[in-house]
RNA sequence: GCCGGGGUAGCCGAGUGGCCAAAGGCGGCAGACUCAAGAUCUGCUCUCGCAGGAGUACCCAGGUUCAAAUCCUGGCCCCGGCACCA
């Protein structure tokens, strides 16, 4: 189609007010949305995927005569808009180029230094892109989460949650930049310069008392090995510091002390040289043994506390370090105690067995297994450690009292708990690598003493949400099975932050700003209200708690200042659109957004207003499956085109079809321009087929009947697919199957006429949900209004003829058989033309096959003897007694793997005769003759007629090489 | 480790007990059209086959079944999430 027509149709839809959701009492409605995007940069084609599902679904429902609403907003909360705005101010070249491409003028640019304005700008930009993609978004819903009315809504939401007991206060560990405030440490590095992939490790610190009352704190991930400590390690020449906490005096390395202060308070005192401790001994917890403090180059003072427990029996690094000790020191250690043994019953993998081979301490054996006779370098030690830790953690049991027999997994927790309970032990969290914030500061983990949480661990709330999960529909269904375990793990989440974020001030304590995830859990309800604000019928100051309590929950009298009937109207509107039919979002939402969305709804609304469905889609990735982000994706020359470039190159319809068909919705897929090309070609092919299909004449009646009948079939299946939100399957029917049906109609001798015109009309309508522009173009002049606002055809408009379908299936089978024979001979370079003679099976064979089929269904093939006996009562069979045994032998085994025949019997002779011309055209035969088996003898030099089966006529290709003639020629 | 999902033809990717030698796309081959290229259309694209068939095949090894890509057991390998991240 002419690309310039795209804008024309988009204007036509706008002009008809199609996108505007209307409440029509008595009409069914469909309300679904795409989880709103964050305002972090320009979109690339990957971001269109959600709308590639949402818009077709809405269009489908609209064409069922339902009222539909597809809202749009932008999630401006948090840091992304702040960062983007700062990048603008800093003159980021890619960003400026993006602005230039979009023709953003100086006046508009002047506002972008304000993060809130930047968020609004990006929101309008996204809206423009989605509109250009053909999505019918109701723009009266458009909002950002930093609009005043939205903030009023969020304030109500938090008051309501508090009243419902959903907010609690507790202390909390958070990643914080000491200068800029809290940051999110995650791979997207939205808030960070580097270190987004850092993980948090939780050390247990184990206290070892010196005789003078001071305590060394060793940091460990394996507190259960405290029973096997032979000594402590510190770095050679290390300097420790004193950490004063409550009444305790602890010795640790400086960076560890700094972390302890962040996480547990206290203060750092004077320095202590580790060499001064050289001749001291410390007392181990639990056992009270005296062990020495030794130096070891493997100790990294910046990790943990810089003090390490040595457990030579189970830690390869410690075992390896023994070799470096003087004989005198080694004597002081004594024999390393064994604490853990591997369950002898456990079935070990070969790699696990390998670790245990040989003699000596477990750590020594592991070292030998990994080193294989080679040197004990750092990598070897690390690998041995990793493998032994895993083995003992999974399969090991403690051998020392009081934990003898306890699995290591449990012992670890119990030891840590007992140490903590005894005091003088602390949990110490740290990153596995340095994390640097956007402004270049090192991010730390800090304890925040008074933090507000959403109390998602509340058993009653969780149970209610689980109950909701059991009722909702998810796509893919796997996600529904996964959700209960996600909720199981779901704990309290902090819902406020401090820092330079965008968001809404926490109404209970305005010092805080509500955290971005927490302010985007219930906005689906607010979109309905937003339309009234947009239309000027409500003002932000009207939106009080009383107002929302009434509108969303029917409680109280509402807000006095707002007109009563207006308030009732808003309430009615809310009750009309709710419950939400689908929340559509990328798979990144599976573990946070979707769960909290469900949580919030269960707490705020009654059962009948709970969401009905969640639709999860995968990502569009760059080459090699790389996730693409907004900041890198749209760059020049990349494989992932910017949205505008893609729309110019292909237009929206090929992209929309590509998205729907390219992969299952839940799959990620790599953007592939050549596949969009293919979609475009397919669409122009379809356009031609539809345009050529019109006409008034009739084709051969049996073919027209077939075309109507298969149209009945595909309409039924396409509707079913849409109803089940299986857009991909629907698209396969509409864009792959229908054209091939129409082509077959023509191939078989149908001509453009009334029948193909009926199909084309129905087809045009079904093209509309996924490729709406093309559908309008094809429907222009053929429908009273726009195609997009027409009703889809029903199956009743097309008569189903099983006879016609059976006839064509029969012919299909005949063709397949012919092709198989021709293919074999083509390979020998034989000519394909000649005379074709059919021999149609006699009815007695059908009777015989039905008997055999009965046997197959009972899973016991009748014997020839049974058949012969039974045939005595059937004259038409007994006349062929001589042929029966051979036939049974040949066909009996085949039946099992053949489909059960269905549909009415076909008049094979008449059908083949009617298809003579077709077969001549298609295969290039000189002539085609059809005989009943019984009359065929004079025309059957090779005795082929015996092969005839019901539905599978025998045939003979006259004038072809045969073994006999070949032999004669040779 | 825990939870979840996987390993399908040259590639991507459908497919959950028989209609599966396996949709669709890409790539490849042949033919048509064309001065030619491109585009488009048609057919083919595991192996063998002097007749509509046979053999082998959906990570590997076993098993259940009349029948397995599909169910079960074991193994090897891969991916995602694991908590505050929109």
């Amino acid at each position: 189609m002419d690309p310039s027509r795209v804008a024309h149709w988009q204007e036509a839809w706008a002009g008809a007010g199609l996108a505007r959701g209307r409440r029509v009492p008595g009409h069914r409605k469909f309300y679904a949305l795409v989880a709103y995007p964050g305002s972090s940069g320009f979109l690339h084609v990957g971001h269109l995927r959600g709308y590639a599902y949402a818009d077709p679904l809405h269009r489908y429902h609209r064409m069922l005569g339902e009222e539909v609403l597809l809202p749009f907003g932008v999630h401006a909360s948090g840091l992304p808009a702040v960062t983007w705005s700062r990048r603008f101010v800093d003159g980021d070249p890619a960003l400026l180029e993006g602005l230039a491409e979009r023709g953003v003028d100086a006046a508009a640019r002047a506002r972008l230094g304000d993060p809130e304005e930047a968020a609004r700008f990006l929101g309008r930009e996204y809206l423009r892109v989605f509109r250009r993609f053909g999505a019918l978004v109701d723009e009266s819903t458009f909002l950002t989460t930093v609009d005043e009315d939205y903030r009023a809504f969020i304030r109500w939401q938090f008051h309501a949650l508090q009243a419902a007991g959903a907010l609690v206060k507790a202390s909390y560990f958070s990643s914080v930049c000491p200068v800029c405030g809290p940051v999110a440490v995650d791979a997207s590095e939205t808030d960070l310069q580097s270190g987004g992939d850092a993980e948090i490790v939780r050390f247990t610190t184990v206290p070892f008392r010196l005789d003078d009352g001071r305590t060394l704190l060793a940091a460990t991930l394996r507190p259960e090995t405290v029973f096997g400590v032979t000594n402590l390690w510190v770095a050679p020449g290390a300097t420790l510091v004193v950490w004063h906490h409550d009444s305790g005096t602890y010795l640790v390395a400086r960076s560890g002390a700094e972390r302890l202060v962040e996480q547990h308070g206290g203060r750092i005192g004077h320095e202590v040289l580790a060499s001064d401790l050289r001749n001291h001994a410390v007392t181990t917890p639990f056992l009270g043994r005296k062990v020495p403090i030794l130096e070891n180059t493997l100790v990294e003072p910046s990790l943990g506390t810089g003090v390490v427990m040595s457990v030579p029996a189970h830690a390869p690094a410690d075992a390896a370090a023994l070799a470096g000790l003087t004989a005198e020191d080694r004597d002081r250690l004594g024999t390393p105690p064994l604490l853990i043994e591997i369950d002898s019953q456990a079935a070990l993998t070969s790699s696990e067995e390998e670790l245990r081979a040989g003699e000596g301490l477990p750590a020594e054996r592991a070292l030998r297994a990994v080193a294989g006779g080679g040197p004990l370098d750092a990598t070897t030690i690390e690998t041995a450690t990793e493998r032994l830790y895993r083995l003992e953690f999974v399969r090991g049991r403690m051998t020392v009292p009081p934990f003898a027999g306890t699995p290591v997994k449990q012992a670890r927790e119990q030891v840590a708990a007992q140490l903590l309970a005894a005091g003088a032990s602390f949990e110490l969290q740290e990153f596995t690598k340095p994390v640097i914030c956007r402004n270049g500061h090192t991010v730390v983990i800090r304890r925040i003493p008074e933090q507000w949480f959403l109390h998602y661990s509340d058993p009653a709330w969780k149970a209610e949400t689980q109950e909701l999960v059991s009722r909702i529909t998810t796509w893919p269904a796997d996600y529904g099975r996964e959700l209960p375990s996600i909720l199981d793990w779901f704990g309290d989440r902090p819902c406020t932050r401090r820092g330079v974020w965008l968001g809404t001030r926490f109404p209970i304590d305005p010092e805080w700003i509500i955290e971005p995830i927490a302010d985007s859990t219930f906005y689906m309800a607010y979109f309905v209200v937003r339309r009234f604000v947009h239309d000027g019928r409500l003002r932000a100051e009207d939106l009080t708690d009383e107002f929302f309590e009434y509108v969303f929950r029917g409680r109280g009298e509402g807000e006095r200042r707002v007109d009563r009937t207006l308030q009732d109207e808003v309430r009615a509107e809310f009750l009309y659109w709710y419950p939400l039919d689908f929340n559509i979002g990328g798979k990144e939402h599976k573990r946070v957004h979707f769960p909290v969305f469900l949580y919030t709804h269960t707490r705020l609304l009654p059962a009948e207003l709970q969401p009905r469905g969640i639709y999860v889609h995968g990502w569009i990735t760059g080459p090699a499956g790389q996730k693409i982000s907004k900041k890198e994706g749209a760059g020049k020359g990349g494989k992932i085109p910017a949205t505008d470039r893609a729309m110019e190159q292909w237009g929206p319809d090929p992209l929309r079809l590509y998205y729907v068909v390219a992969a299952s919705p839940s799959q990620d897929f790599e953007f592939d321009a050549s596949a969009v090309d293919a979609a475009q070609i397919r669409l122009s092919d379809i356009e031609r087929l539809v345009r050529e299909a019109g006409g008034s004449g009739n084709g051969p009646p049996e073919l027209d009947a077939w075309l109507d009948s298969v149209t009945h079939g595909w309409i039924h299946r396409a509707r079913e697919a849409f109803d089940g939100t299986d857009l991909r399957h629907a698209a396969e029917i509409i864009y792959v199957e229908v054209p091939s049906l129409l082509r077959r109609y023509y191939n078989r001798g149908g001509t453009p006429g009334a029948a193909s015109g009926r199909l084309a009309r129905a087809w045009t309508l079904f093209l509309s949900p996924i490729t709406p522009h093309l559908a309008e173009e094809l429907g222009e002049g053929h429908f009273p209004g726009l195609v997009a606002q027409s009703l889809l055809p029903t199956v009743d408009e097309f008569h189903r003829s099983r006879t016609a379908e059976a006839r064509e299936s029969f012919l299909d089978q005949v063709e397949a058989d012919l092709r198989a024979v021709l293919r074999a001979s083509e390979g020998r370079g034989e000519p394909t033309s000649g005379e074709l003679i059919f021999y149609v099976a006699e009815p007695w064979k059908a009777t015989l096959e039905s008997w055999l089929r009965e046997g197959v269904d009972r899973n016991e093939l009748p014997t020839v003897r049974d058949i012969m006996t039974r045939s005595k009562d059937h004259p038409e069979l007994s006349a062929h007694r001589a042929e029966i045994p051979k036939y049974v032998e040949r066909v009996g085994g085949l039946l099992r793997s053949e489909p059960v025949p269905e549909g009415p019997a076909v008049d094979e002779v008449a059908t083949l005769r009617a298809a003579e011309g077709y077969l001549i055209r298609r295969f290039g035969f000189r002539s085609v003759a059809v005989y009943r088996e019984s009359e065929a003898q004079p025309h059957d030099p090779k005795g082929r007629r015996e092969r005839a089966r019901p539905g599978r006529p025998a045939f003979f290709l006259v004038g072809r090489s045969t073994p006999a003639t070949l032999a004669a020629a040779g």
Side-chain angles (χ1 to χ4, degrees):
Chain A
M1 66 182 276
D2 182 351
S4 67
R5 302 285 285 167
V6 166
H8 168 78
W9 292 117
Q10 291 178 356
E11 279 160 30
W13 296 325
L18 232 55
R20 175 83 193 208
R22 283 185 184 74
R23 174 170 58 103
V24 181
H27 276 206
R28 294 181 57 137
K29 62 86 195 180
F30 181 76
Y31 179 30
L33 52 76
V34 180
Y36 50 29
S39 47
S40 52
F42 295 120
L43 302 177
H44 59 73
V45 290
H47 297 103
L48 298 173
R49 194 168 179 190
Y51 283 89
Y53 298 117
D55 188 57
L57 279 179
H58 280 82
R59 286 177 178 272
Y60 172 70
H61 282 273
R62 182 180 290 107
M63 293 181 76
L64 293 178
E66 299 176 16
E67 304 304 321
V68 304
L69 177 60
L70 175 58
F72 176 72
V74 165
H75 194 212
S77 312
L79 202 54
V82 179
T83 307
W84 191 81
S85 175
R86 191 180 304 142
R87 281 174 53 216
F88 166 74
V89 172
D90 294 347
D92 180 293
L95 194 157
L96 293 180
E97 190 189 330
L99 292 176
E101 277 171 16
R102 286 162 181 78
V104 178
D105 62 28
R109 288 181 195 225
R111 290 194 295 271
L112 297 181
D114 172 4
E116 291 194 6
E117 284 302 319
R120 291 195 180 91
F121 165 80
L122 286 172
R124 285 189 299 272
E125 165 65 15
Y126 298 169
L127 190 57
R128 179 186 70 80
V129 171
F130 294 137
R131 201 192 290 132
R132 198 172 175 195
F133 190 54
L136 291 178
V137 174
D138 184 335
E139 298 185 13
S140 66
T141 62
F142 175 65
L143 59 79
T144 75
T145 55
V146 289
D147 296 338
E148 274 319 304
D149 56 318
Y150 191 86
R151 288 182 160 134
F153 159 69
I154 291 299
R155 284 192 291 273
W156 162 79
Q157 182 180 325
F158 277 83
H159 279 139
L161 287 170
Q162 188 190 31
L167 292 175
V168 293
K169 230 177 188 181
S171 71
Y172 166 65
F173 291 93
S174 171
S175 41
V176 173
C177 165
V179 182
C180 314
V183 289
V185 176
D186 71 286
S188 71
E189 299 198 334
T190 310
D191 298 355
L192 305 175
Q193 212 167 73
S194 66
D197 55 343
E199 290 172 30
I200 289 177
V201 289
R202 293 183 162 79
F203 289 105
T204 302
T205 61
V206 183
F208 291 85
R209 246 170 247 292
L210 287 162
D211 292 336
D212 58 15
R214 295 179 299 177
T215 300
L216 272 84
L217 283 180
T220 181
L221 297 171
R222 301 182 74 190
E224 76 281 8
T225 60
V226 68
F227 295 99
V229 171
T230 58
N231 61 290
L232 293 183
W233 300 118
V234 293
T239 304
L240 303 181
V241 297
V242 173
W243 173 52
H244 298 281
H245 180 269
D246 292 341
S247 56
T249 305
Y250 305 96
L251 297 179
V252 291
R254 180 169 290 277
S255 64
E258 286 168 355
R259 280 189 287 272
L260 285 165
V261 170
E262 288 284 1
Q263 294 170 27
H264 297 282
R267 60 184 177 82
I268 295 176
H270 61 275
E271 295 187 344
V272 177
L273 290 177
S275 52
D276 293 348
L277 302 170
R278 185 71 174 82
N279 295 314
H280 288 68
V282 290
T283 308
T284 67
F286 295 105
L287 300 179
R289 290 173 46 199
K290 296 272 191 188
V291 299
I293 302 163
L294 302 176
E295 293 182 339
N296 183 341
T297 50
L298 288 177
V299 174
E300 170 55 61
S302 66
L303 289 183
T305 56
V307 179
V308 180
M309 310 193 305
S310 174
V311 188
H314 297 283
D318 297 335
L322 292 183
L325 294 180
T326 62
E328 185 199 343
D329 278 339
R330 231 174 330 219
D331 281 348
R332 291 171 68 190
L333 304 187
T335 313
L338 275 172
L339 338 160
I340 296 166
E341 71 183 10
I342 304 303
D343 189 347
S344 55
Q345 301 299 310
L348 299 183
T349 65
S350 52
S351 65
E352 286 174 336
E353 283 294 357
E354 186 188 307
L355 274 190
R356 306 182 62 213
E359 295 294 317
L361 301 169
E364 292 168 351
R365 298 191 216 180
L367 280 171
R368 270 200 307 274
V370 175
L376 294 182
D377 56 21
T379 323
T380 308
I381 292 174
E382 204 174 302
T383 309
T385 303
E386 200 174 301
R387 287 174 58 182
L388 183 62
Y389 275 23
R390 172 164 300 189
L391 175 66
E392 293 186 336
F393 181 67
V394 180
R395 315 266 192 200
R397 284 176 185 278
M398 303 297 288
T399 58
V400 291
F403 293 99
T406 309
V408 166
K409 235 184 265 196
Q410 290 166 25
R412 177 171 304 175
E413 289 169 19
Q414 290 169 14
V415 171
Q418 289 185 19
L419 285 169
L420 284 175
S425 172
F426 306 87
E427 183 180 292
L428 176 61
Q429 302 191 5
E430 71 186 62
F431 291 115
T432 49
K433 61 196 290 190
V435 179
I436 311 297
C437 91
R438 279 233 159 269
N439 301 319
H441 312 111
T442 300
V443 173
V444 302
I445 300 170
R446 177 179 290 170
R447 181 162 169 270
I448 296 172
E450 295 257 289
Q451 167 76 52
W452 285 95
F453 283 77
L454 281 159
H455 193 23
Y456 295 126
S457 65
D458 175 5
W461 193 6
K462 186 169 284 199
E464 255 181 276
T465 310
Q466 290 282 18
E467 200 273 327
L468 171 58
V469 164
S470 71
R471 282 186 289 133
I472 63 169
T473 305
T474 68
W475 182 282
D478 285 344
Y479 180 53
R481 285 192 285 277
E482 204 182 332
L483 262 174
S485 59
I486 294 173
L487 290 180
D488 271 346
W489 280 94
F490 222 85
D492 295 352
R493 294 181 64 96
C495 59
T496 59
R497 291 171 151 188
R498 275 188 181 130
V500 286
W501 324 94
L502 298 190
T504 302
R505 293 216 166 266
F506 187 53
I508 298 152
D509 181 354
E511 294 282 291
W512 296 82
I513 291 173
I514 291 168
E515 178 274 334
I517 289 173
D519 78 357
S520 57
T521 58
F522 198 61
Y523 64 95
M524 311 75 196
Y526 182 68
F527 274 130
V528 175
V529 178
R530 171 67 180 192
R531 289 148 40 99
F532 289 86
V533 177
H534 173 271
D535 294 346
R537 300 176 66 192
L538 286 171
R539 292 161 305 154
E541 54 268 33
D542 296 332
L543 307 180
T544 58
D545 285 359
E546 290 73 22
F547 172 83
F548 284 118
E549 280 295 315
Y550 179 72
V551 166
F552 291 143
R553 315 221 275 183
R555 293 184 185 174
E557 298 299 311
E559 169 57 42
R560 286 171 197 285
R561 276 183 302 177
V562 179
D563 178 64
R564 183 76 214 185
T565 52
L566 176 59
Q567 227 157 195
D568 285 338
E569 189 186 337
V570 182
R571 168 86 178 146
E573 188 93 357
F574 172 68
L575 290 177
Y576 183 72
W577 294 112
Y578 250 60
L580 184 72
D581 292 280
F582 272 107
N583 189 350
I584 301 169
K587 64 182 187 182
E588 69 275 22
H589 296 308
K590 282 162 74 165
R591 268 144 214 289
V592 180
H593 169 67
F594 288 140
V596 296
F597 151 76
L598 296 174
Y599 260 112
T600 309
H601 276 77
T602 58
R603 184 99 310 179
L604 296 179
L605 292 178
E608 67 275 14
L609 296 179
Q610 298 304 326
R612 288 180 176 148
I614 292 178
Y615 193 100
V616 188
H617 63 78
W619 295 327
I620 293 172
T621 65
Q626 293 286 306
K627 191 187 175 186
I628 43 181
S629 68
K630 288 183 193 122
K631 66 179 174 197
E632 63 209 75
K636 252 191 173 168
K639 265 189 92 172
I640 311 301
T643 50
D644 288 300
R645 195 135 45 90
M647 235 85 80
E648 276 151 31
Q649 187 171 349
W650 293 289
D653 284 346
L655 280 170
R656 291 166 64 109
L657 178 60
Y658 167 64
Y659 287 128
V660 168
V661 172
S664 284
S666 55
Q667 286 277 336
D668 295 348
F669 65 87
E670 209 176 295
F671 189 84
D672 178 358
S674 72
V676 189
D677 289 338
Q680 191 171 30
I681 288 162
R682 188 180 284 284
L683 288 180
S684 54
D685 197 27
I686 288 172
E687 182 176 6
R688 207 193 59 245
L689 279 170
V690 171
R691 288 203 192 283
E692 291 171 0
S696 54
N698 289 323
E702 68 281 2
L703 270 183
D704 285 359
W706 171 77
L707 193 63
D708 270 356
S709 187
V710 292
T711 300
H712 176 107
W714 71 252
I715 288 178
H716 176 73
R717 284 177 290 116
R719 278 175 169 266
E720 234 172 27
F722 273 120
D723 287 337
T725 66
D726 190 348
L727 293 172
R728 189 173 202 251
H729 187 216
E732 275 169 4
I733 294 166
I734 296 165
Y735 297 88
V736 179
E737 185 180 331
V738 174
S740 73
L741 290 172
L742 192 54
R743 284 203 193 93
R744 178 170 177 95
Y745 175 74
Y746 294 140
N747 281 338
R748 287 276 291 112
T751 48
S756 58
R758 280 194 297 277
L759 178 143
R761 187 189 151 87
W763 196 12
T764 301
L765 291 164
F766 270 98
L767 290 170
S768 185
I770 296 172
T771 53
H773 308 83
L774 174 64
E776 295 296 349
E777 199 67 13
L778 291 171
E780 191 172 22
H782 299 290
F783 296 93
L786 291 160
V787 174
Q789 59 187 159
S790 308
L791 290 181
L792 287 170
T794 65
V795 292
D796 304 334
E797 296 171 36
F798 293 86
H799 177 69
R800 173 151 196 209
S801 163
R802 286 173 201 277
T803 314
E805 289 192 31
R807 224 161 22 216
E808 287 302 306
S809 316
F810 162 71
L811 208 58
D812 242 356
Q813 181 61 58
V814 171
E815 284 180 60
D817 286 345
L818 280 170
R819 242 181 261 119
V821 172
L822 290 169
R823 191 180 325 134
S825 48
E826 251 167 43
R828 300 191 293 274
E830 292 170 14
T832 54
S833 61
E835 189 183 345
L836 171 66
I837 303 175
F838 282 112
Y839 313 102
V840 172
E842 294 296 328
W844 66 269
K845 286 184 174 173
T847 310
L848 190 52
E849 288 211 5
S850 73
W851 292 357
L852 292 170
R853 170 66 60 186
E854 286 167 24
V856 167
D857 294 345
R858 282 198 311 271
N859 204 7
E860 48 185 39
L861 214 50
T863 62
V864 172
R865 180 190 299 269
D866 296 335
I867 299 275
M868 296 306 270
T869 311
R870 192 171 171 187
S871 67
K872 282 196 181 107
D873 304 329
H874 296 263
E876 82 274 16
L877 277 156
S878 45
H880 296 275
R881 298 179 60 86
E883 297 165 66
I884 289 176
K886 201 172 159 194
Y887 193 84
V888 170
E889 197 188 331
R890 184 165 72 87
V891 170
L894 294 173
L895 278 179
R896 218 198 292 277
S897 58
E898 287 180 0
V900 181
E902 48 184 58
V906 172
D907 180 343
E908 298 183 22
V909 171
T911 304
L912 288 174
R913 286 196 174 136
E916 280 174 13
Y918 166 67
L919 293 170
I920 286 171
R921 272 200 315 281
R922 189 143 184 93
F923 292 94
F925 298 119
R926 206 162 43 235
S927 66
V928 174
V930 183
Y931 300 103
R932 281 181 210 290
E933 206 182 326
S934 56
E935 312 157 339
Q937 194 160 9
H939 315 281
D940 185 19
K942 291 282 167 219
R944 298 267 193 243
R945 66 184 187 282
E946 277 179 23
R947 289 192 65 90
R949 290 180 55 198
R952 309 283 296 268
F955 51 82
F956 175 52
L957 300 172
V958 186
R960 304 184 58 79
S961 313
T962 63
T965 55
L966 273 180

